[in-house]
Amino acid sequence: MVMRYSFGGDEHLFVECSEEMSLEAFFTSLSVTNGIREAKIKGVTEICPANASFQVRFDPDVIHPDDLLKEVKAVAEVAAGGEPVISTRIVEIPVFYDDPWTHETLMRFRERHQDPGSTDLEYAAQINGYSSVASFIKAHSGSPWFVSMVGFVSGLPFMYQMVERQRQIEVPKYLRPRTDTPRLTVGHGGCFGCIYSVRGAGGYQMFGITPMPIYDPTQKTGHLKDFMVFFRPGDIVKFKPVDRDGYARAVEAVDKGDFSPPIRPVKFDLREFQSDIDGYNARLEGVLDGH
């Protein structure tokens, strides 16, 4: 994988890991940025991994741009020759698919959609070759997702489905963005899934909603007391379908401060994953089940 380096203004180094989105590109970005963080390069003030690239902010009064470039290239060379393994965590997130709130919203914006006569789920199922919404939901929730980037708005995760390329769900964004999206909507655009951390405009297809808060600037939510943003690049997500009652129970638990998402530490090995994707995913899910 050939990296391309360029400077953005006086304080930023931008590095493109690949021209295409892939788990390998995400893994490279994450490995190199982790290496830069561990190297504690003098003058680096911020490190931002993205889907197939990353950016480093630095203080040019502390480190010369050419010296920073040399340091980052050295870290990237070491990361490229290292074992493709990271220590991360897997989390189970409940999702109420085809819920009334995203349904009401999507119906308000059908004139902005590719197929005004269907719902977002029906459209996504149809263009991905699924015979029904139920079979599409099974595919969406049936494999884990890798968090490749957190951002755009505070706390929003971009997630890449951990299956072979030909099995990945792909859905275009709305023709024109909506002016409204419910908070905690589970959406999808292109090859990326996401969870809308706040209410606002958006263009991703809407599949459902989760009761689990992922962003709390007040840090009053139980699982967000240590940090206001839940997700980190490298997290692995497993969606768990719930019905209306299951959603309501989870919301009540959140309100009472009793909600605690299942989270387990795992080591993710890219080569083992690539050698047996379904088997590896099953083992990851077994960690959540305590197996």
Side-chain angles (χ1 to χ4, degrees), residues 199-216:
R199 183 178 182 179
Y204 278 23
Q205 308 285 336
M206 296 182 289
F207 296 162
I209 199 164
T210 177
M212 174 181 158
I214 61 172
Y215 171 64
D216 179 10

Side-chain angles (χ1 to χ4, degrees), residues 30-250:
L30 187 60
S31 297
V32 177
T33 51
N34 284 343
I36 294 171
R37 189 173 294 108
E38 292 166 3
K40 297 181 180 179
I41 300 170
K42 189 176 180 181
V44 169
T45 59
E46 190 174 359
I47 305 165
C48 182
N51 293 323
S53 61
F54 63 89
Q55 186 165 270
V56 178
R57 186 179 183 184
F58 63 97
D59 184 346
D61 292 330
V62 176
I63 185 169
H64 191 279
D66 291 342
D67 293 332
L68 174 74
L69 179 60
K70 186 184 300 182
E71 295 265 17
V72 170
K73 284 185 173 180
V75 171
E77 186 175 344
V78 171
E83 293 293 317
V85 180
I86 59 169
S87 295
T88 185
R89 59 183 182 167
I90 184 169
V91 55
E92 182 179 87
I93 296 181
V95 180
F96 181 15
Y97 288 93
D98 202 13
D99 66 282
W101 305 284
T102 58
H103 182 82
E104 184 277 331
T105 303
L106 67 87
M107 294 306 294
R108 283 194 277 125
F109 293 97
R110 292 331 279 165
E111 81 283 357
R112 305 184 183 210
H113 197 272
Q114 292 88 347
D115 186 359
S118 71
T119 66
D120 290 8
L121 274 169
E122 289 169 345
Y123 173 69
Q126 186 269 320
I127 67 170
N128 280 278
Y130 290 95
S131 59
S132 65
V133 166
S135 60
F136 177 81
I137 291 173
K138 185 176 180 180
H140 187 270
S141 61
S143 60
W145 298 70
F146 188 89
V147 176
S148 58
M149 171 181 168
V150 180
F152 187 71
V153 297
S154 297
L156 184 150
F158 287 83
M159 298 174 288
Y160 191 76
Q161 193 177 20
M162 294 168 59
V163 294
E164 296 88 351
R165 180 67 63 90
Q166 64 270 22
R167 291 169 53 196
Q168 286 172 352
I169 292 168
E170 293 194 25
V171 192
K173 295 187 287 186
Y174 275 44
L175 298 175
R176 288 187 294 130
R178 301 177 302 275
T179 56
D180 190 23
T181 307
R183 172 176 169 265
L184 299 178
T185 290
V186 175
H188 199 97
C191 64
F192 288 106
C194 81
I195 301 174
Y196 284 78
S197 52
V198 296
R199 183 178 182 179
Y204 278 23
Q205 308 285 336
M206 296 182 289
F207 296 162
I209 199 164
T210 177
M212 174 181 158
I214 61 172
Y215 171 64
D216 179 10
T218 69
Q219 294 182 236
K220 293 179 180 178
T221 305
H223 60 281
L224 296 172
K225 287 183 177 178
D226 291 336
F227 191 57
M228 68 180 71
V229 172
F230 178 76
F231 286 107
R232 314 165 190 164
D235 279 347
I236 297 172
V237 172
K238 183 65 172 65
F239 293 124
K240 178 183 179 181
V242 296
D243 58 14
R244 180 68 178 263
D245 289 342
Y247 175 84
R249 287 193 298 271

Side-chain angles (χ1 to χ4, degrees), residues 277-288:
I277 292 177
D278 288 341
Y280 197 87
N281 286 343
R283 292 194 293 276
L284 286 174
E285 294 172 30
V287 172
L288 275 174

